[in-house]
Amino acid sequence: MHLTSEHLHDDGVLERDFTVGEIPGTLWTPASTPAPLLLMAHNNGLPRTDARLVARARFHAAELGYAVASVDAAGCGDRPRSAAQEHARAEFRRAMQSGGPSDEVFETFIGPLVEQAVPDWRTALDALLALPEVDGPVGYSGWAAVGIRLAVSEPRIAALGLFAGGYVPQAQREEARQVTAPLLLLLQWDDEGNPRERALDLFDAFGSTQKTLHANPGGHLGTPWFEAQDQGRFFDRHLR
Amino acid sequence: MHLTSEHLHDDGVLERDFTVGEIPGTLWTPASTPAPLLLMAHNNGLPRTDARLVARARFHAAELGYAVASVDAAGCGDRPRSAAQEHARAEFRRAMQSGGPSDEVFETFIGPLVEQAVPDWRTALDALLALPEVDGPVGYSGWAAVGIRLAVSEPRIAALGLFAGGYVPQAQREEARQVTAPLLLLLQWDDEGNPRERALDLFDAFGSTQKTLHANPGGHLGTPWFEAQDQGRFFDRHLR
């Protein structure tokens, strides 16, 4: 792991960019370490520098005392991408803007992204847990499909805080039955891009004996502020 | 209001039985008063002395600092009942034990119970708010149908923490659209007596712009302990 930049915020959070091989990431650590680790990913390969993800990461570090890390998925964020990836991404964005992608567009673009992302997260996890300021056990927060894939292949994931879940590739919808880690699934009741019935079916499918669903009215970006605190308490129950 | 008995618990909670006219009730007050008031009712007219309701009331008083009150509905708990009420109750219990009541049995027994309960709760509320140790605003916790009826007829109800909601009389399912108070609806995903789809439809129907759904796996009595704390934080957001 190479640390490529470092910034100490006024709230005591140390923000550092890193690379592990070809994988670029950011680590936010609280003033008091060692701290348990949260892996935080934004849905569908949004960059780790996205303002909402950064705000969530800094809240969990500053207010809740977690070390938080995020990496860019292949072809996303700071990573090089092929012309084919650019084309697929443009097509996916067009479909999202016109009322949600078809299952075919979704599977073609997101399916491989999920499959490729998980080995990267595991590589980053190995490097992060070797740092003296990072401690196990490990939680995962955010992008539902990657969380499912990671949870079934990575026994170090001890708790999952997932968001949305209306659109999840078929492979991960099936894998959800094998997930046994405690789960908090947060969804927006009127999420235009994530059909409610599919999200409820996904919650039903999880194999975890401890699983909780939270839902609030409004669209994809309308999650109320107290849900970040609720997620923090969920992680506190399982990671501390 | 006549106070008829008084017991000071080791945790500092003062438990007092009272009557207002013909209505018997219990008030639990925390060590530090005045405290905001929670009205707490058990589904379908279970007595206010039921162990689960008492445990919930004392938790909210001792741990969360609320004044908590419960009253028996007409024909329930300590109140006199007619032969007709006894007959209807026995029929309802038989139906509950054999896999859930038919809509007809349910409407016949529970519908009038809800209608009659709400004026009693309002009478008790007037008397409780006149006590120096009780303060507004007021929250309501428990029996969904009574909470809906009370919220649409009683502007002093500032937050609703409702449980289950699979079986709610048709009149209250329709009134739910008129409810505007902030709402936390808690349901058990596998509640044998409360069909899930009906509970989700009820959540959808509420008019409240601030409404949150919490769901956990398991049957009617399997609610995890942390949901009592979550409900406490919900009330803290709206009553303090």
Side-chain angles (χ1 to χ4, degrees):
Chain A
M1 171 178 278
H2 296 282
L3 298 169
T4 56
S5 77
E6 170 169 326
H7 181 74
L8 181 62
H9 293 282
D10 288 344
D11 55 12
V13 172
L14 182 62
E15 177 175 335
R16 288 174 287 179
D17 286 330
F18 64 82
T19 58
V20 182
E22 295 175 348
I23 309 161
T26 303
L27 173 64
W28 295 264
T29 44
S32 171
T33 59
L37 178 64
L38 297 182
L39 304 179
M40 199 169 277
H42 231 159
N43 276 14
N44 300 338
L46 281 177
R48 73 185 200 286
T49 54
D50 180 274
R52 285 179 299 132
L53 183 115
V54 169
R56 206 150 54 87
R58 286 191 52 191
F59 172 82
H60 280 80
E63 303 294 325
L64 307 174
Y66 284 94
V68 182
S70 189
V71 300
D72 283 330
C76 302
D78 290 341
R79 297 178 74 165
R81 61 206 73 180
S82 65
Q85 280 170 328
E86 285 288 10
H87 177 76
R89 173 180 303 272
E91 197 172 336
F92 180 71
R93 282 203 184 129
R94 256 196 310 278
M96 283 299 279
Q97 279 157 8
S98 61
S102 70
D103 284 346
E104 192 189 332
V105 167
F106 185 81
E107 293 286 344
T108 304
F109 181 60
I110 301 296
L113 211 57
V114 172
E115 297 289 338
Q116 291 162 23
V118 167
D120 287 355
W121 280 101
R122 299 185 71 182
T123 300
L125 181 55
D126 289 337
L128 290 160
L129 286 176
L131 297 173
E133 57 271 47
V134 172
D135 208 358
V138 181
Y140 172 92
S141 170
W143 186 1
V146 166
I148 294 166
R149 184 88 269 274
L150 193 58
V152 298
S153 52
E154 176 53 78
R156 289 175 292 186
I157 301 294
L160 286 170
L162 305 184
F163 181 57
Y167 273 116
V168 164
Q170 186 57 30
Q172 278 69 56
R173 300 189 80 79
E174 286 165 17
E175 281 178 330
R177 300 189 186 282
Q178 301 165 40
V179 171
T180 56
L183 166 77
L184 176 62
L185 177 62
L186 170 65
L187 63 89
Q188 285 292 96
W189 198 245
D190 311 294
D191 188 338
E192 53 294 332
N194 281 282
R196 185 191 303 165
E197 280 308 318
R198 288 193 184 198
L200 296 173
D201 287 349
L202 181 68
F203 177 69
D204 195 53
F206 276 99
S208 314
T209 54
Q210 296 179 70
K211 57 182 179 180
T212 301
L213 175 74
H214 284 192
N216 294 279
H220 191 70
L221 302 183
T223 303
W225 61 270
F226 57 78
E227 289 291 353
Q229 296 180 314
D230 279 11
Q231 187 182 258
R233 279 184 288 260
F234 163 77
F235 284 127
D236 286 348
R237 286 202 298 274
H238 297 291
L239 303 182
R240 291 195 192 269
Chain B
M1 171 179 279
H2 297 281
L3 297 168
T4 56
S5 78
E6 171 169 326
H7 181 73
L8 181 62
H9 294 283
D10 289 345
D11 55 11
V13 172
L14 181 62
E15 177 175 335
R16 288 175 288 179
D17 286 330
F18 64 82
T19 58
V20 182
E22 296 176 345
I23 310 160
T26 302
L27 172 65
W28 295 265
T29 43
S32 172
T33 60
L37 179 65
L38 297 182
L39 304 179
M40 200 170 276
H42 231 158
N43 277 15
N44 301 338
L46 280 176
R48 72 185 201 285
T49 55
D50 181 274
R52 284 180 299 132
L53 184 114
V54 171
R56 208 150 53 86
R58 287 192 51 192
F59 172 81
H60 280 80
E63 303 293 326
L64 307 175
Y66 285 93
V68 183
S70 189
V71 300
D72 284 331
C76 302
D78 290 340
R79 296 179 73 164
R81 62 206 73 182
S82 65
Q85 281 171 327
E86 286 289 9
H87 177 76
R89 174 181 302 272
E91 198 171 333
F92 180 71
R93 282 204 182 128
R94 256 195 310 278
M96 284 299 281
Q97 280 157 8
S98 61
S102 69
D103 284 344
E104 192 189 331
V105 167
F106 185 79
E107 293 285 346
T108 305
F109 182 60
I110 300 296
L113 211 55
V114 172
E115 298 287 339
Q116 291 161 23
V118 167
D120 288 356
W121 279 101
R122 298 185 73 184
T123 301
L125 181 55
D126 288 337
L128 289 160
L129 287 177
L131 296 174
E133 58 271 47
V134 172
D135 207 359
V138 180
Y140 172 91
S141 169
W143 188 0
V146 166
I148 294 167
R149 184 87 271 274
L150 194 57
V152 298
S153 50
E154 176 52 79
R156 289 174 293 186
I157 301 295
L160 287 170
L162 306 184
F163 181 57
Y167 273 117
V168 163
Q170 186 56 32
Q172 278 69 56
R173 301 188 79 78
E174 286 166 18
E175 281 178 330
R177 298 187 188 284
Q178 301 166 39
V179 172
T180 56
L183 166 77
L184 176 62
L185 177 63
L186 170 64
L187 64 89
Q188 285 292 96
W189 198 245
D190 311 294
D191 188 338
E192 53 294 333
N194 282 281
R196 185 191 303 164
E197 280 308 319
R198 287 193 185 198
L200 296 174
D201 287 348
L202 181 68
F203 177 69
D204 195 51
F206 277 99
S208 315
T209 53
Q210 295 179 71
K211 58 181 180 181
T212 301
L213 176 74
H214 283 192
N216 293 279
H220 191 71
L221 303 182
T223 303
W225 62 270
F226 56 77
E227 289 292 352
Q229 297 181 314
D230 278 11
Q231 187 182 258
R233 278 184 289 260
F234 162 76
F235 284 127
D236 287 348
R237 286 201 298 274
H238 297 290
L239 304 182
R240 293 196 191 268

